[in-house]
Amino acid sequence: MKERKTFSYAPDSFSYALCNSQSIQATVCFEALVVYFKAGKKEEPYVTITRKISLEGSLEVPKELEIGQTERMLATHRNAFKRMAIIQAFLGSTPQLTLQLYATIQEKYILSTRLALMIITLISITYGALVCSVLAIQVIYDNYKVQLRPGAYLCMVVWRALEITTRVTTLVLFSTALTHWVILVGMANLLFFFFLPWVEFWARKGTLAEGVEKNFSKLGTTVVLCMFTLLYACINMFCWSAVKPDLTHQELIERKQSWSSLVMYYSGRFVENFVLITLWYYFKSDFYEYVCAPLLVVQLLICYSLAVLFMLLFYQFCHPCRRLFKYNVHDCLRCVCCRRAGRRARSRRGNLPPSYSTAATMVLVPEEPLVLLDPHNSLPPDVARQLGAQESSA
């Protein structure tokens, strides 16, 4: 008989991935392979019962799954590897892609090896952004069994690839025209997204999350949270991180869909890209005389708009938990259109001349003759005669 111990299972935190060096990663990979090949050969005396809700059509079907110790270890390693893929993508591949593209523009020719390296780094960054989106969905909807379809993956890949390519190209072009100013732009982005979670934490007057790591003191927990917010800032410099940090929560992530943050991020990023491309257009060097600069500007703006379009398509049609949204993309767009239509209708009503049905009207009539003003003339004829006879007899 199996002895069952019931306790909840949740994905490990980012601290496990943040604290691993390259040598430790190799050891963990080897350990994960050994555990994987030994899985299923022995009957495990302890199992974990986890409860998930499966979305089947319009119904929510609760299910119980048994997870053994080996499977839990593999899940822990798998979650850590996913987080390491994010760290490697945005702290390693993104600077590499930016540097290679900058060197290509400065040297005015493209090497085949450099082109291959740029393609590999772009694939790595896109994969990291894809993993970041999937992890965000799994953390936010932890109580649900999340299953993504191939169409959802395809939509996310196109969305992330266009977004990252446009952002990196914009920053590199701006750096070729205004080299020193790009440092200010990069530092402003990094510091803004680094301190944003801390400002929200201080505004809420909360306490630091406990249980991030059992063996850490308060200082160690603060260091881990700083590393987490640094990773969050590096991701948001190039693409949407799909999560909103919450330093008071044990998972370090706010477990709800933040539509306001999504709209503010993409609106601000589109304006920033437009400003940077416009500045590059006016301060570009002579090298770009052989390139149609206006067409390049339009292409970059269209590519970023397409990235936003694929993002909207994903949340509207391909998101695995879109039935749980209180408001969807279609509702938001319809609300915006209705507000604009209402403002136009009110502005048109304000410009119309006043109507006679609501305004006061003065009508001129001829004056009545003085005979009609006599009080006797206001009575019937018979009554007037009787009154006249009584007055004469008196």
Side-chain angles (χ1 to χ4, degrees), residues 6 36 84 104 120 131 137 141 151 153 207 212 219 222 225 254 271-274 282-283 319 329 392:
T6 304
Y36 175 77
M84 286 307 304
T104 300
I120 293 173
V131 171
I137 296 174
Y141 302 97
Y153 282 109
T207 57
V212 176
L219 178 61
T222 305
L225 294 180
E254 186 174 336
V271 173
E272 183 187 1
N273 288 343
F274 177 77
Y282 285 106
F283 294 98
H319 197 284
V329 177
S392 59

Side-chain angles (χ1 to χ4, degrees), residues 2-13:
K2 294 182 179 180
E3 181 182 354
R4 295 186 177 182
K5 293 186 177 181
T6 304
F7 53 93
S8 61
Y9 168 71
D12 199 7
S13 62

Side-chain angles (χ1 to χ4, degrees), residues 186-196 233:
M187 291 301 298
N189 277 270
L190 186 65
L191 294 177
F192 175 78
F193 288 108
F194 178 81
F195 286 107
L196 180 61

Side-chain angles (χ1 to χ4, degrees), residues 202-223:
W202 290 324
R204 296 174 182 175
K205 298 180 180 180
T207 57
L208 292 177
E210 297 181 358
V212 176
E213 190 65 31
K214 296 180 180 179
N215 299 326
F216 283 179
S217 60
K218 290 186 178 180
L219 178 61
T221 302
T222 305
V223 172

Side-chain angles (χ1 to χ4, degrees), residues 89 93 97 116-130:
S93 298
L97 177 61
L117 180 61
M118 292 169 61
I119 294 174
I120 293 173
T121 52
L122 178 60
I123 294 174
S124 174
I125 300 170
T126 305
Y127 174 74
L130 182 65

Side-chain angles (χ1 to χ4, degrees), residues 126-272:
T126 305
Y127 174 74
L130 182 65
V131 171
C132 188
S133 299
V134 175
L135 282 177
I137 296 174
Q138 292 176 351
V139 172
I140 294 175
Y141 302 97
D142 184 43
N143 297 327
Y144 293 85
K145 188 178 180 181
V146 177
Q147 292 181 348
L148 288 170
R149 297 180 179 180
Y153 282 109
L154 179 61
C155 193
M156 282 196 295
V157 167
V158 178
W159 158 32
R160 291 303 194 176
L162 289 174
E163 181 182 7
I164 294 168
T165 304
T166 306
R167 178 62 177 171
V168 173
T169 306
T170 301
L171 291 175
V172 171
L173 290 177
F174 180 76
S175 65
T176 57
L178 300 170
T179 306
H180 301 289
W181 285 96
V182 73
I183 301 175
L184 178 61
V185 173
M187 291 301 298
N189 277 270
L190 186 65
L191 294 177
F192 175 78
F193 288 108
F194 178 81
F195 286 107
L196 180 61
W198 292 101
V199 171
E200 294 178 350
F201 168 75
W202 290 324
R204 296 174 182 175
K205 298 180 180 180
T207 57
L208 292 177
E210 297 181 358
V212 176
E213 190 65 31
K214 296 180 180 179
N215 299 326
F216 283 179
S217 60
K218 290 186 178 180
L219 178 61
T221 302
T222 305
V223 172
V224 170
L225 294 180
C226 289
M227 296 174 67
F228 173 73
T229 52
L230 177 62
L231 177 61
Y232 170 77
C234 293
I235 295 174
N236 279 277
M237 280 186 63
F238 297 94
C239 67
W240 168 242
S241 61
V243 295
K244 185 177 181 182
D246 185 5
L247 302 182
T248 61
H249 197 274
Q250 186 176 1
E251 293 292 337
L252 305 180
I253 293 175
E254 186 174 336
R255 302 181 69 173
K256 67 178 182 179
Q257 191 67 40
S258 180
W259 295 108
S260 59
S261 301
L262 181 70
V263 173
M264 291 175 62
Y265 176 85
Y266 278 101
S267 300
R269 188 63 75 203
F270 184 85
V271 173
E272 183 187 1

Side-chain angles (χ1 to χ4, degrees), residues 322-335:
R322 61 185 180 275
R323 297 183 184 89
L324 303 177
F325 293 162
K326 186 177 181 180
Y327 301 104
N328 209 330
V329 177
H330 178 265
D331 299 330
C332 296
L333 294 178
R334 183 173 59 183
C335 181

